[in-house]
Amino acid sequence: MVLRSETGEVEGVTLTKSICSIWDQVWNFQARPDDLLIATYAKAGTTWTQETVDMIQQNGDVEKCRRATIAKRHPFLEWFIEDPLSTPYSEKPVMDLAEAMPSPRTIKTHLPVQLVPPSFWKQNCKVIYVARNAKDNLVSYYHFHRMNKALPDPGTWEEFIEKFMTGKVLWGSWYDHVKGWWKAKDKHRILYLFYEDMKENPEQEIQKILKFLEKDVNQEVLNKIVHNTSFEIMKENPMANYTREFQAIMDHSISPFMRKGAVGDWKNHFTVAQNKKFDEDYKKKMADTSLVFRTEL
Ligand code: PPS
């Protein structure tokens, strides 16, 4: 039986107790110059971007991309992975895996920019950041908390909206996260992408990633990447849809990891009153940024 995680804080940012317990190790992680970091607020399109990047790195070879699950292909910096040698269920830091991995590595993180291990900046690593509009991000996060027992209990939908607005959720405030990374892109090698753009015009966004990674593919390969990173294909891909591992903690019958993959699903969740309150609060929290999101296409 897996218990829901307790939380702690690092510099005011809510993280799981487990992450807090290995924080020194996370902070001192040694990045390499050719590491690529994929950074997101949780549920903003991480897995989608990971699969896209891997398809690019493997030059569109689907079989190569299915060599391992997405969690094994790209270590999740601050997280834990099931220890296959242990019964009952136990976990070990993913970092152990990352450290043993040959270069070039692609690493996933949900850390806000100020908590990214300094070695990534020292090594001038490239980072792809993906942001998703707050309302869809919140809806996706709520359903993920319901199905993933490694996360704290979300409470009711109403309660979860409140937690999200106050930033008392894992990886902290969505508002600070997207704004912090937006600012950082002027100082570091960061490609800042939006989930909504990826949905509207995947080919165009893949082209941006190609350019950023200084890679080139022909039109046939590009078409293949667009096809294989579509929601419909990824939903059925066991190497990308999280059905191959974390079975003790993720219950896809409550809500699948690949849930809807849409822009605007928030409309099916927010009441008129909730929406009004959220918008008013949003305006205040986002008044100090030039960052603009689309909540529908
Ligand atoms: S995690 O756990 O933080 O790594 O989750 P993450 O991958 O960031 O986000 C999961 C949401 O992304 C949707 N998704 C996609 N949308 C469109 N196209 C593709 N290919 C795709 N792959 C994953 C996934 O369905 C989750 O969103 P929701 O809204 O819950 O469906």
Side-chain angles (χ1 to χ4, degrees):
M1 183 98 153
V2 180
L3 295 175
R4 287 204 171 255
S5 28
E6 291 178 57
T7 58
E9 280 189 5
V10 172
E11 288 178 32
V13 175
T14 305
L15 296 170
T16 62
K17 270 245 162 78
S18 312
I19 298 177
C20 294
S21 74
I22 58 158
W23 184 251
D24 280 354
Q25 202 190 337
V26 175
W27 186 249
N28 291 309
F29 180 77
Q30 289 307 303
R32 304 173 193 154
D34 56 357
D35 283 342
L36 172 69
L37 189 63
I38 298 179
T40 53
Y41 191 78
K43 311 322 281 182
T46 330
T47 316
W48 187 7
T49 309
Q50 286 177 262
E51 192 65 18
T52 305
V53 163
D54 198 33
M55 284 290 293
I56 290 173
Q57 287 166 340
Q58 307 307 328
N59 202 35
D61 188 324
V62 177
E63 284 318 305
K64 279 192 187 157
C65 290
R66 298 203 176 194
R67 68 195 178 282
T69 60
I70 200 85
K72 296 224 167 66
R73 281 179 272 159
H74 302 155
F76 181 4
L77 183 65
E78 65 273 24
W79 203 242
F80 289 77
I81 202 155
E82 191 171 338
D83 186 349
L85 302 175
S86 160
T87 0
Y89 181 85
S90 79
E91 295 179 324
K92 56 180 183 175
V94 171
M95 229 167 326
D96 301 345
L97 208 131
E99 277 158 6
M101 220 170 182
S103 292
R105 304 178 294 190
T106 299
I107 298 171
K108 156 183 169 176
T109 186
H110 290 321
L111 291 171
V113 70
Q114 72 277 17
L115 295 187
V116 168
S119 62
F120 282 99
W121 310 126
K122 229 176 272 152
Q123 299 286 7
N124 197 23
C125 296
K126 287 185 185 175
V127 184
I128 300 178
Y129 184 80
V130 186
R132 185 179 194 181
N133 80 76
K135 292 180 190 174
D136 282 328
N137 206 139
L138 160 56
V139 168
S140 182
Y141 211 11
Y142 171 66
H143 289 294
F144 193 53
H145 276 74
R146 291 174 52 237
M147 69 83 83
N148 187 341
K149 293 192 208 78
L151 307 180
D153 190 323
T156 63
W157 163 241
E158 181 84 28
E159 286 164 352
F160 194 74
I161 299 181
E162 288 297 322
K163 277 186 219 168
F164 186 92
M165 282 166 52
T166 54
K168 293 295 169 207
V169 282
L170 286 186
W171 290 288
S173 156
W174 174 91
Y175 312 85
D176 292 345
H177 209 283
V178 296
K179 287 192 291 185
W181 278 98
W182 183 248
K183 252 196 188 156
K185 79 176 181 353
D186 301 330
K187 279 201 305 220
H188 302 288
R189 294 204 292 173
I190 299 171
L191 175 67
Y192 200 108
L193 299 175
F194 294 91
Y195 182 101
E196 293 74 26
D197 295 347
M198 286 162 64
K199 197 72 201 176
E200 185 176 60
N201 192 342
E203 181 168 331
Q204 176 187 290
E205 299 311 296
I206 293 168
Q207 295 276 22
K208 287 186 192 165
I209 300 178
L210 279 162
K211 191 166 167 230
F212 184 66
L213 299 180
E214 297 158 85
K215 293 261 187 323
D216 206 5
V217 295
N218 63 33
Q219 188 63 43
E220 192 194 335
V221 170
L222 186 57
N223 294 345
K224 231 168 137 181
I225 298 174
V226 172
H227 176 73
N228 285 287
T229 55
S230 68
F231 179 72
E232 292 67 30
I233 298 291
M234 280 186 61
K235 187 175 171 65
E236 301 306 323
N237 178 358
M239 294 310 193
N241 67 14
Y242 282 91
T243 54
R244 277 284 166 93
E245 56 207 341
F246 303 110
Q247 275 129 347
I249 57 168
M250 289 192 192
D251 186 345
H252 296 262
S253 70
I254 295 176
S255 178
F257 184 94
M258 296 289 174
R259 196 183 57 89
K260 283 214 177 153
V263 177
D265 185 42
W266 61 270
K267 292 177 189 167
N268 300 316
H269 291 76
F270 282 73
T271 64
V272 172
Q274 285 166 348
N275 193 40
K276 188 166 175 277
K277 188 173 176 197
F278 190 89
D279 282 349
E280 281 167 7
D281 179 69
Y282 184 94
K283 246 194 210 151
K284 283 186 211 146
K285 293 200 166 94
M286 300 297 277
D288 57 348
T289 179
S290 57
L291 191 49
V292 176
F293 283 90
R294 291 189 291 166
T295 53
E296 56 194 326
L297 289 180

